[in-house]
């Protein structure tokens, strides 16, 4: 059964981008080391070549590789899909993408790509799990991720915390309006310019 992991790079004060979707220095750690994420990685899953472009610290690489290799499906909102144009049909990790949106897939857009558009978060996670099989489902943080989290559909929260304070912007948990408890983090990895944390959601 697939594990549903809500994941994103995040500022110390809980933002994944500013109001204009600019990530600022949040992704600098992907380029500040000497260890390619793709090194020793199962290349069949690196469709976009992202792993070969990123060079991180050894500690970050050893954390990121197995996590990325374990992902079968990405779940995201329409805003990120439009912003990235769906990575032109080649997701950075995994084989499938589920987009939570009231609008259908753009007509004629990469018909060969395994991209699925659903307007309900529960249906989206069900489809993502079906597609992922024994691998994991990665939920992009933000408004849609927050809705999935609030619906009780997330098993783990993974945060790559970067030492910067944004002050305002797009929140990791979107517009969560009540308290949720997480377990103590069983994974804490200090990279160069980033702290990797992973929490199980308390049931």
């Amino acid at each position: 059964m697939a594990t549903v992991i809500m994941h994103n790079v995040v500022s110390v004060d809980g933002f994944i981008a500013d109001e204009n979707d600019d990530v600022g220095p949040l992704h600098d750690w992907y380029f500040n080391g000497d260890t390619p994420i793709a090194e020793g990685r199962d290349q069949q899953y690196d469709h976009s070549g992202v792993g070969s472009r990123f060079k991180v610290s050894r500690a970050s690489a050893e954390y990121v590789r197995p996590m990325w290799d374990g992902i079968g499906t990405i779940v995201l909102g329409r805003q990120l899909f439009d912003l990235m144009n769906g990575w032109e049909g080649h997701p950075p990790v995994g084989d499938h993408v589920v987009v939570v949106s009231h609008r259908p897939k753009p007509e004629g857009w990469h018909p060969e790509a395994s991209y699925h558009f659903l307007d309900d978060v529960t249906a989206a996670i069900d489809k993502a799990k079906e597609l992922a099989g024994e691998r994991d489902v990665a939920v992009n943080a933000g408004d849609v991720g927050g809705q999935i989290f609030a619906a009780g559909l997330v098993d783990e929260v993974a945060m790559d915390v970067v030492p910067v304070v944004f002050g305002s912007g797009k929140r990791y948990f979107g517009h969560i309006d009540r308290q949720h408890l997480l377990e103590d983090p069983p994974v804490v990895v200090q990279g160069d310019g980033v702290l990797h944390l992973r929490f199980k959601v308390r049931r």
Side-chain angles (χ1 to χ4, degrees):
M1 179 69 71
T3 299
V4 179
I5 305 167
M6 185 173 173
H7 173 249
N8 230 91
V9 183
V10 61
S11 69
V12 171
D13 55 341
F15 295 98
I16 60 174
D18 68 15
E19 295 291 357
N20 298 313
D21 292 309
D22 188 340
V23 297
L26 288 180
H27 292 177
D28 287 359
W29 65 275
Y30 281 122
F31 307 98
N32 69 1
D34 56 9
T35 307
I37 292 175
E39 183 180 281
R41 195 171 165 229
D42 192 335
Q43 298 300 304
Q44 68 173 309
Y45 300 135
D46 192 15
H47 309 300
S48 66
V50 165
S52 61
R53 295 197 302 270
F54 291 162
K55 289 189 176 182
V56 299
S57 68
R58 173 67 61 179
S60 287
E62 291 175 354
Y63 169 78
V64 171
R65 283 178 198 150
M67 183 177 183
W68 283 11
D69 287 345
I71 294 169
T73 307
I74 299 174
V75 179
L76 61 142
R78 186 58 180 255
Q79 184 173 356
L80 181 58
F81 172 84
D82 288 343
L83 187 66
M84 304 301 296
N85 195 28
W87 302 284
E88 298 296 341
H90 299 282
V93 295
D95 297 310
H96 315 280
V97 172
V98 174
V99 181
V100 181
S101 175
H102 294 293
R103 290 179 286 144
K105 182 191 295 187
E107 187 174 349
W109 185 89
H110 294 286
E112 78 288 353
S114 181
Y115 279 58
H116 308 264
F117 288 65
L118 297 164
D119 63 2
D120 175 79
V121 294
T122 300
I125 293 299
D126 286 344
K127 183 65 175 179
K129 286 182 174 180
E130 174 192 330
L131 293 166
E134 296 301 313
R135 296 167 73 199
D136 295 330
V137 172
V139 174
N140 191 74
D143 284 340
V144 167
Q147 293 172 38
I148 294 169
F149 180 82
L153 301 172
V154 171
D155 301 308
E156 297 184 16
V157 171
M159 310 176 88
D160 300 321
V161 183
V162 173
V164 59
V165 175
F166 270 38
S168 65
K170 306 293 179 69
R171 295 185 177 277
Y172 182 99
F173 288 101
H175 299 285
I176 292 289
D177 60 1
R178 69 177 183 85
Q179 187 178 88
H180 297 261
L181 295 176
L182 307 177
E183 302 291 351
D184 287 339
V187 176
V188 179
V189 176
Q190 183 175 343
D192 185 0
V194 62
L195 180 65
H196 307 286
L197 300 173
R198 197 155 166 175
F199 307 83
K200 290 186 181 298
V201 177
R202 186 175 297 183
R203 301 299 188 192

